[in-house]
């Protein structure tokens, strides 16, 4: 299947608001029914009360008895980039590559994606829609002979499905140490066995759900962000977007090949290379109890200022058919963050303002981030040194808000970690003074960069939210 | 300047066999004159006799007194990829990003590149042509107030030149630990101050010199490899290659956009991602004197089998105007290696057979390597387990040898390390059974992968040698 044909199938699915479910309301009814019968009790417990988890010495860190899953470790960060030259923090170390996979199938001429209603202990609302598969490496390498996640074989066994995309993508560099996951979309031609917690959605339905708070989970968003709505090598095909207007049409055109791009790909690569070479972030391991400013107790790990995040314990009772119970640490986030893209038409083509982003957990130095990614907005917007361009999101004035919804980060590692995601459009011609670590890119360019793992998860999450609808529901 | 315009300028330069030097003979005369007056004496000395360098304890390694430059350290390698599950070896640790830069200027309508006749102690013939600048990070960050390399400012000071390309590229993963350099091409519009060791060459002249043994050094080859002869986003423009025929035309067409590519970029990314996720290489530091099979003495560091490489000391007396003298370790390679691409026309478009390559020093797991990269061919071809497809290079039979020359690796770190570089073409339709870690790519696809740092230095070195000439000189 050619790239152009695959992209046409993606675009067609994005235009389809009806599919196996005849309407978005039908999807929401199905999800609400699932939500009513979920049985998940999450209770905060002291870290010392966690089953199987404990502090281990040399250097002090929080680990599972088996050494599996992940650990919480301490790091010291030193850098010449950004306002803070040094800080200490706990970070999640999970040195393995998982699979986040979407299974796709054409049904009645429209590509559908198999989504799962999945409970995760850290979500404010427990149940959200996840991709078909979220598997750790031990799941799919079958190191341990446990049950494997449903549908995993379509992603791991050659020949069962056609691979439409398979990319290594970074996770949050501020919270995960060098973590990446495979993001995959694979397609089957025939039916697959169905399970009650799974449903087939069109890309248009998924994008429409993304306009609502906390329905589509982070793992789904990162995979969806990599699905192109057009082949960036091809000029626009207006026949394919007949009836698409306004900002939705701008999104499509920004994916397409254009001679109106503000910068060439070579210029953008040079900008990124310069950022990577110019700025360094040195990360050295430290025992948790040696971290400056952090208090490590039997209850939790938290910063003495009350800011940033804390590591807490939760006890989870899942009353599914196989009644299971476990406890684990989660990173609790008290305040809400803000992740935003400024966009603007240049030469008639929509461009997005990206920012070089250097975080301690990044595998390869600077990544391409959104215009703004700011934790605890309420606290930080009041202080001096608030992030550049934050005010355009907090007080857009006459700018046009194109997207605005609250989404949760990974509920298997984070507790109540929510960010407000926004896309705000500047009028054409309105000038912004850009510091050197900001640059304009089209969506096609951003997608090409993302394909090679250069784009941060915050920026990808926003890319996922961009669809073809003119207005917010 | 648009990408298409830059690529046209590169192509035009590649077609030009005359420029500031009216002919290749004139270039070779200039180089021969430089070669006659070089004054470099290189003498092997025991490691214990090196000025400023010595073994340092905890863990044992070979270091410079200042801690600068580089160090030779020990590693243990464990992997599930390739024939050897584990081995120990010394490796070069040089944790900094240098600049390899070519300065370009249009002269009489043809883009020229400023090359330097540069002496390096490890080269069999001492003098070779290097890029305009080979600078370490301490050179260009001016950590120490020494003299900076000539022309460096064009690569580091914004506004002095236009950046045509700037990419982070990996060095030899079998010899360097996680080392990368910035590969840059920048262009000026006006004249620059000239120095007697520098000359302006067209890309065609550089490519023609690459058909000869040991004239163009490795640092020049890696930068040249990234210069595209066509914009891979554009279909062929036959008007630009009028008169180019045979294999030269195949090279041009293989750079261009085509609907005859064997695989889409998404398929190639999926192949690479699968290789990265499927195979791991675990590298742990070891003291030099704990390496299994290696003997560490006051004379040198060598393997008890006599194979692989050894670490030796050299004393260098450079009788240039500023008479300088220094001593340093180098990695000596006794046998000659072979680096080769098989190529074949598929659907009329030339494809190259690449191999997933996993080396201990790779920063990010599997890279895209050439069909064959084999050290000490004479020894290894006689043993069982010789690399797949090696025999097509050692005994091509009725296959067509398109390129065959001996080139040196980096003469500032390696002593007499030479590889035979070959490109061998299979007749169209001749079937090869490919193990899963081999795949066919066009040059345009290989170049797109290289832009993001996925292509090994061995493969890039071969890409540099591909020009528009029909036959070897």
């Amino acid at each position: 299947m050619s790239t152009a044909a695959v992209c046409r199938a993606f675009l067609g699915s994005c235009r389809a608001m009806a599919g196996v479910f005849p309407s978005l309301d039908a999807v929401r009814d199905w999800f609400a029914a699932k939500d009513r019968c979920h049985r998940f009790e999450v209770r905060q417990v002291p870290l010392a009360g966690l089953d199987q988890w404990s502090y281990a010495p040399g250097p002090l860190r929080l680990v599972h008895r088996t050494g599996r899953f992940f650990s919480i470790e301490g790091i010291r960060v030193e850098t010449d980039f950004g306002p803070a030259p040094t800080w200490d923090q706990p970070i999640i170390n999970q040195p393995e590559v998982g699979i986040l996979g979407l299974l796709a199938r054409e049904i009645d001429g429209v590509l559908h994606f198999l989504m799962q209603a999945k409970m995760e202990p850290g979500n404010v609302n427990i149940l959200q829609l996840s991709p078909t598969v979220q598997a750790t490496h031990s799941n799919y390498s079958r190191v341990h002979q446990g049950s494997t996640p449903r549908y995993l074989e379509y992603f791991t066994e050659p020949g069962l499905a056609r691979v439409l995309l398979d990319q290594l993508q970074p996770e949050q560099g501020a919270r995960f140490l060098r973590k990446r996951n495979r993001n995959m979309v694979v397609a089957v031609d025939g039916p697959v066995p169905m399970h009650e917690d799974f449903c087939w959605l069109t890309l248009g339905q998924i994008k429409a759900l993304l306009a609502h708070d906390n329905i589509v989970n982070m793992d789904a968003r990162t995979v969806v962000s990599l699905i192109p709505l057009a082949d960036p090598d091809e000029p626009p095909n207006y026949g394919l977007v007949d009836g698409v207007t306004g900002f939705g049409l701008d999104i499509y055109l920004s994916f397409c090949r254009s001679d109106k791009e503000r910068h060439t790909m070579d210029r953008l690569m040079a900008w990124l290379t310069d950022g990577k070479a110019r700025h360094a972030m040195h990360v050295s391991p430290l025992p948790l109890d040696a971290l400056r400013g952090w208090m490590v107790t039997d209850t939790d790990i938290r910063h003495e200022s009350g800011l940033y995040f804390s590591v807490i314990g939760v006890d989870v009772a899942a009353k599914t058919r196989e009644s299971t119970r476990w406890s684990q640490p989660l990173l609790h986030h008290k305040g809400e963050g803000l992740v935003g893209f400024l966009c603007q038409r240049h030469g008639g083509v929509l461009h997005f303002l990206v920012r070089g982003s250097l975080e301690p957990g990044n595998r390869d130095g600077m990544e391409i981030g959104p215009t703004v990614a700011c934790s605890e907005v309420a606290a930080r917007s009041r202080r001096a040194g608030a992030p550049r361009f934050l005010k355009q999101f907090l007080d857009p004035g006459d700018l046009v808000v194109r997207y605005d919804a609250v989404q949760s980060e990974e509920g298997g590692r984070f507790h109540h970690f929510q960010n407000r995601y926004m896309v705000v459009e500047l009028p054409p011609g309105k000038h912004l003074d850009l510091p050197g670590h900001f640059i304009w890119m089209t969506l096609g360019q951003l997608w090409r960069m993302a394909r090679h793992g250069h784009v941060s998860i915050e920026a990808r999450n926003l890319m996922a939210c961009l669809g073809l609808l003119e207005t917010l529901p």
Side-chain angles (χ1 to χ4, degrees), chain A residues 199 221 316 330 419:
Chain A
C199 67
R221 295 197 302 275
V316 187
L330 288 173
N419 282 303

Side-chain angles (χ1 to χ4, degrees), chain A residues 172-183:
Chain A
Q172 283 95 337
R175 299 290 179 266
F176 284 102
L177 195 59
R178 302 167 60 74
K179 176 95 176 91
R180 290 191 302 186
N181 283 313
R182 282 173 90 163
N183 286 232

Side-chain angles (χ1 to χ4, degrees), chain A residues 118-132:
Chain A
K118 187 177 169 67
M119 295 184 279
E120 286 175 317
N123 291 340
V124 285
N125 55 346
I126 303 293
L127 190 82
Q128 297 195 2
L129 286 176
S130 79
T132 320

Side-chain angles (χ1 to χ4, degrees), chain A residues 190-227:
Chain A
V192 298
M194 288 299 289
H195 178 273
E196 58 179 355
D197 289 338
F198 290 78
C199 67
W200 290 107
L201 298 186
T202 69
L203 186 55
Q205 290 171 334
I206 297 171
K207 298 259 185 191
L209 291 172
L210 274 165
H212 299 273
D213 295 354
N214 287 324
I215 296 181
V216 181
N217 83 356
M218 198 203 73
D219 291 344
R221 295 197 302 275
T222 172
V223 182
V224 167
S225 76
L226 304 170
I227 298 178

Side-chain angles (χ1 to χ4, degrees), chain A residues 1-74:
Chain A
M1 208 167 167
S2 73
T3 305
V6 172
C7 290
R8 271 199 303 276
F10 287 147
L11 178 65
S13 182
C14 193
R15 297 203 60 186
M17 296 306 296
V20 169
F21 286 108
S23 68
L24 196 64
D25 282 342
V27 180
R28 301 195 66 179
D29 289 346
W30 179 85
F31 182 75
K34 287 284 151 202
D35 201 32
R36 275 191 300 276
C37 65
H38 85 66
R39 304 280 174 75
F40 227 48
E41 278 163 27
V42 180
R43 196 167 48 89
Q44 187 174 344
V45 296
L47 289 176
L50 290 178
D51 186 30
Q52 312 284 339
W53 291 83
S54 60
Y55 290 115
L60 192 76
R61 61 208 191 282
L62 186 63
V63 297
H64 192 261
R65 186 182 54 80
T66 60
R68 278 173 44 212
F69 304 109
F70 60 94
S71 59
I72 309 278
E73 307 184 356

